[in-house]
Amino acid sequence: KNLAIGLHNKNLAWANSSISGGGYNTKFEKIICTPSESGIGAADKATFTGDTDGSDNWSEICKADTNAATNAENYPAFKWINEYITKTGAHNWYLPSIAELCKIYKNREIINTSLKKIYGLDNAAADNGLGTGWYWSSSQTHDAISSAWHLNFSNGEIRKDGKSNQHNVCCIAAF
């Protein structure tokens, strides 16, 4: 499948740890995706098992946490994407799985070239590139309920991190 990337990113938590009943201490079984390896450079060579398609991960979170949709502040990264959907009017944007995020990482040079062109035309329309920071995936880790996978765009490092930590968030759409 082809993926489009949202033109802005934000630095947000995956889930808030300070809100009782939120997704910080919830293991979302249906959105677990496990890379074959982690660490520096893993994004270029890892293979994945489990849920590799993040397009339904928000709906799976909402099924497991019936308060998620009405209390989206418990899930800042997903809330931002839902606001992006409202702003753009397109309903197919979502937080990528770790497998999809690795595809973006592998194609970051051409993506950054495109983003720079758009930024040059209207800097309000796009960021100047993906940058070199950490990006959240929508993928839950299999072994820690309070962790999700994220990816470092400077060196391809795949690592799990506490859901309340703040990292970049981008949205994608499949077509």
Side-chain angles (χ1 to χ4, degrees):
K1 76 182 171 182
N2 294 314
L3 301 174
I5 188 163
L7 302 178
H8 292 285
N9 62 57
K10 288 284 191 186
N11 193 27
L12 299 166
W14 198 97
N16 286 326
S17 62
S18 60
I19 298 174
S20 177
Y24 182 78
N25 284 317
T26 303
K27 187 172 186 176
F28 298 102
E29 294 285 344
K30 298 215 175 197
I31 66 170
I32 293 173
C33 182
T34 306
S36 60
E37 58 186 280
S38 59
I40 294 173
D44 285 322
K45 43 192 172 175
T47 57
F48 302 89
T49 56
D51 181 39
T52 59
D53 179 353
S55 65
D56 64 348
N57 286 1
W58 176 240
S59 63
E60 292 298 335
I61 288 170
C62 290
K63 286 178 192 173
D65 177 359
T66 56
N67 295 315
T70 55
N71 296 311
E73 66 275 358
N74 291 353
Y75 303 91
F78 296 93
K79 179 181 179 195
W80 178 77
I81 291 172
N82 287 329
E83 290 169 352
Y84 192 86
I85 290 168
T86 301
K87 182 179 175 182
T88 63
H91 296 282
N92 55 343
W93 293 105
Y94 62 94
L95 186 62
S97 71
I98 190 64
E100 292 165 320
L101 200 55
C102 287
K103 287 180 188 176
I104 293 167
Y105 175 79
K106 290 175 188 177
N107 291 288
R108 70 193 177 284
E109 289 180 24
I110 195 159
I111 292 168
N112 283 336
T113 300
S114 297
L115 288 173
K116 282 181 175 71
K117 287 179 182 178
I118 296 167
Y119 182 84
L121 296 172
D122 178 4
N123 63 8
D127 291 335
N128 196 20
L130 292 166
T132 58
W134 288 94
Y135 278 84
W136 277 121
S137 77
S138 62
S139 301
Q140 171 86 47
T141 61
H142 72 284
D143 60 349
I145 62 172
S146 61
S147 294
W149 292 107
H150 67 305
L151 174 65
N152 187 330
F153 270 66
S154 69
N155 61 9
E157 181 177 1
I158 298 172
R159 190 169 72 188
K160 55 184 149 185
D161 199 13
K163 295 176 188 174
S164 65
N165 292 325
Q166 292 194 352
H167 299 296
N168 290 320
V169 176
C170 69
C171 55
I172 64 172
F175 61 96

